[in-house]
Amino acid sequence: MKSIEVRLPQDFDKSFIVFKEKGQYFPCPWHYHPEYELVLVLKSQGRRMVGDHIGYFQEGDLVCMGPYLPHVWVNESSFVNGQAAYDAEAIVIHFQEDFLGEDFLKIPEMETLRNFLKLSKRGMALKGKTKEQINALMEGMIHMNGIQRLSSLLSIFDILSQTREYEFLASPGYLDQIDPQGSDRLDKIKAYIHNNFDKDISLPEVASMANMAVTTFCNFFKEQYRITFVEYLHTVRLGHACKMLSETDRNIVEVAFECGFNNLANFNRQFKKYKKMTPTHFRKMVNMQEVA
């Protein structure tokens, strides 16, 4: 299933978009755009797809996504068929990285926000107090104009820059692009994994690239990514597998071996562990969305 580019109209006198989506169901197809996006579901339930992640949304669900990450919110059938007791509603914020000028995110005060936005390339479901605070601000922004509206967005940025209350959605391997710039050890390792995920990659091999003992490297990697090296490698491989399953008609055996899994049983086991479904089920769900 190929994603398409979709853009929301922006008023000439506003630097970013705050939009209330309301209707029988959310009409947007599987799509992407160059803006960062925050999506708050006010009413409705259903299934959301963000990159290779398939999950479920309900009222109060809040997701932040970076540019060019394909996504779609699919309402339950009662909304699509017009049988729901109320309309689907959501608030959407779109902003580009330079919407306040090319140097805005480069100033020292924006360092923590820059780090958060970099992580948002995978999509993040926000949780806990963070979600409650941002939901309240977004609901208020619908009725604001000018400086009040901008002030609320800056308050959201402040909350995002400090939070750890989130869950990543798309796996690293799903992303079309990586950022191998920089000279630190993790950048080199990440680039190596993304360029060689379809081959055998051993832990001693990558530890030596970082000039570390294996145990030291394992602790270092988990501290940085909050998952083990092996778990990260699995998510990269599975992300590429999901792209192949959704965008090609290659059979599952071919997909497994081309994504670095040495046998089909291991591929199926890891896929079910991380995606909570089989590769066959994943492909069926993607195809159902394409038909819809």
Side-chain angles (χ1 to χ4, degrees):
M1 177 175 61
K2 295 290 185 181
S3 57
I4 62 171
E5 183 170 355
V6 172
R7 306 289 292 274
L8 288 176
Q10 181 172 336
D11 295 337
F12 75 93
D13 59 344
K14 294 181 174 61
S15 59
F16 65 98
I17 295 170
V18 179
F19 174 74
K20 188 168 187 178
E21 181 83 66
K22 183 175 182 180
Q24 181 179 316
Y25 58 91
F26 301 142
C28 230
W30 177 241
H31 70 286
Y32 63 89
H33 41 71
E35 296 87 2
Y36 290 90
E37 179 173 7
L38 283 160
V39 179
L40 164 60
V41 177
L42 298 176
K43 296 180 180 179
S44 185
Q45 302 84 38
R47 187 175 74 248
R48 58 169 151 77
M49 299 171 61
V50 179
D52 61 340
H53 167 85
I54 297 178
Y56 293 89
F57 70 85
Q58 58 186 358
E59 295 176 5
D61 188 69
L62 178 64
V63 169
C64 179
M65 293 171 290
Y68 301 106
L69 178 62
H71 56 277
V72 67
W73 270 241
V74 182
N75 304 92
E76 288 183 349
S77 59
S78 59
F79 289 88
V80 178
N81 298 332
Q83 298 173 341
Y86 51 88
D87 282 345
E89 291 186 34
I91 297 174
V92 178
I93 295 177
H94 278 194
F95 63 92
Q96 294 193 338
E97 191 163 295
D98 60 352
F99 81 106
L100 288 178
E102 291 184 4
D103 296 327
F104 171 66
L105 285 177
K106 297 177 183 178
I107 64 176
E109 291 83 356
M110 294 296 106
E111 181 180 3
T112 53
L113 178 63
R114 285 198 304 272
N115 293 337
F116 179 88
L117 292 178
K118 187 175 181 180
L119 295 174
S120 75
K121 292 179 181 180
R122 290 176 57 188
M124 306 156 89
L126 297 160
K127 307 290 185 182
K129 188 175 180 181
T130 296
K131 182 173 76 168
E132 294 175 7
Q133 292 176 327
I134 294 177
N135 286 7
L137 285 165
M138 288 180 67
E139 290 191 56
M141 289 172 73
I142 290 296
H143 309 290
M144 295 178 184
N145 287 301
I147 293 177
Q148 285 184 332
R149 194 164 164 266
L150 178 58
S151 176
S152 291
L153 182 60
L154 294 176
S155 294
I156 290 172
F157 287 168
D158 182 45
I159 296 168
L160 293 176
S161 69
Q162 299 180 60
T163 189
R164 287 183 174 268
E165 295 181 301
Y166 55 77
E167 171 191 347
F168 286 117
L169 299 179
S171 60
Y174 185 85
L175 303 181
D176 289 329
Q177 298 178 350
I178 61 170
D179 181 14
Q181 297 178 353
S183 59
D184 66 56
R185 288 172 289 196
L186 278 178
D187 283 337
K188 292 179 181 177
I189 292 164
K190 186 173 72 171
Y192 181 79
I193 293 170
H194 281 258
N195 290 328
N196 296 278
F197 66 89
D198 56 335
K199 306 177 181 68
D200 287 333
I201 299 178
S202 70
L203 190 51
E205 177 185 4
V206 291
S208 67
M209 290 176 59
N211 295 317
M212 293 181 179
V214 170
T215 302
T216 304
F217 171 76
C218 288
N219 293 334
F220 172 72
F221 193 95
K222 189 168 185 179
E223 181 180 333
Q224 295 295 315
Y225 280 94
R226 285 182 261 178
I227 58 174
T228 68
F229 168 76
V230 173
E231 289 171 334
Y232 183 87
L233 180 57
H234 282 325
T235 60
V236 170
R237 287 172 167 165
L238 290 171
H240 283 276
C242 287
K243 285 181 70 68
M244 292 183 69
L245 290 169
S246 62
E247 297 180 2
T248 75
D249 59 359
R250 306 291 290 276
N251 68 54
I252 291 173
V253 175
E254 290 178 304
V255 170
F257 281 92
E258 290 191 24
C259 290
F261 291 93
N262 53 13
N263 63 73
L264 183 59
N266 184 41
F267 174 63
N268 286 328
R269 182 168 59 251
Q270 299 302 334
F271 200 102
K272 192 166 185 179
K273 176 182 176 181
Y274 288 91
K275 301 301 177 184
K276 311 303 180 187
M277 65 183 72
T278 65
T280 301
H281 188 195
F282 177 86
R283 176 171 268 172
K284 285 181 179 177
M285 293 189 72
V286 171
N287 289 339
M288 284 172 58
Q289 171 57 25
E290 188 172 26
V291 171

